[in-house]
Amino acid sequence: MRKAKGTRQRWWRWRRNSLRRHADIVEAWIVLAVWTVIVLGGTLVGLVTAHAADESFAQLRRERHSVPAVLVEGTAEAVPTAKGAASERVRAQVRWTAPDGSPRTGRTLVDSEHQAGSRVVIWLNNRGQLTAEPPTAGAAAFEAALFGTGAALTFGGLTYATGRLAQWRLDQGRCEQWGREWDQAGPQWGRKAT
């Protein structure tokens, strides 16, 4: 059995038709503008966001540096900060030497299962304060790509929603126009043709 051919036609808004209203032309331009903005604007927003995120991560890698430290307390008994991490990290007291030679202590995240006196690597910012390890170049690129994709999808979704709102308003106007036209034509249907 053959499938019935659908009545849907591509580009119907752009074809000449005596029944085409001004609102149909406006809607066609809205659809074209929305999809153009989604494709071009979404790409641009995604690329700019990814680039900005990548620059931010590169800035973190430039500002932070690793320093050898010694654990002041053991980490075997400490409670992990996150469940299910590949290498569970715990907050522990560490001691290190500042660039000016003075001893410093503080609490930071280190790998678990270390004894007091073990050597660990900690991360400091440019002001000498304890901080988290910056993301590697690969992790930063992946996160930047995720941020860019998310920004592009969000921009596209907002643009699409705006276009649908404009189309809904056009539909409301068409319904009102049809109601007015029906009010004029409806009473004539009750007359008998002679």
Side-chain angles (χ1 to χ4, degrees):
M1 193 174 199
R2 286 179 55 183
K3 254 184 167 177
K5 186 176 179 182
T7 59
R8 187 175 175 99
Q9 293 183 7
R10 292 188 184 271
W11 311 108
W12 64 270
R13 290 180 177 100
W14 297 99
R15 294 186 178 165
R16 292 212 174 268
N17 185 338
S18 59
L19 298 177
R20 186 175 64 177
R21 299 162 300 233
H22 177 70
D24 296 332
I25 296 168
V26 171
E27 184 177 22
W29 282 105
I30 288 172
V31 169
L32 179 64
V34 163
W35 284 109
T36 301
V37 169
I38 286 173
V39 170
L40 298 178
T43 301
L44 182 64
V45 165
L47 289 174
V48 167
T49 302
H51 179 70
D54 197 40
E55 283 296 315
S56 174
F57 293 135
Q59 177 85 13
L60 287 178
R61 286 192 301 277
R62 285 190 299 272
E63 291 176 351
R64 297 178 182 183
H65 57 280
S66 62
V67 173
V70 176
L71 277 174
V72 175
E73 59 190 16
T75 59
E77 305 293 322
V79 176
T81 57
K83 297 275 185 204
S87 67
E88 293 180 341
R89 305 197 33 101
V90 295
R91 196 166 281 289
Q93 187 83 15
V94 294
R95 182 178 57 243
W96 73 96
T97 305
D100 63 2
S102 62
R104 301 277 173 93
T105 59
R107 295 186 72 77
T108 190
L109 291 176
V110 296
D111 291 334
S112 63
E113 303 299 324
H114 286 292
Q115 302 287 334
S118 298
R119 296 210 172 269
V120 293
V121 175
I122 61 171
W123 289 84
L124 302 175
N125 62 18
N126 286 340
R127 295 183 300 258
Q129 299 168 331
L130 288 168
T131 187
E133 180 180 356
T136 63
F142 179 73
E143 285 188 50
L146 282 180
F147 287 144
T149 302
L153 290 174
T154 301
F155 179 82
L158 290 173
T159 303
Y160 182 77
T162 302
R164 292 299 297 166
L165 182 65
Q167 285 182 301
W168 175 79
R169 184 61 194 118
L170 282 173
D171 285 342
Q172 295 297 315
R174 281 189 282 243
C175 285
E176 291 169 7
Q177 181 184 359
W178 290 334
R180 287 190 302 271
E181 290 171 357
W182 181 254
D183 288 343
Q184 292 173 355
Q188 294 175 3
W189 282 42
R191 299 184 187 157
K192 293 185 180 181
T194 54

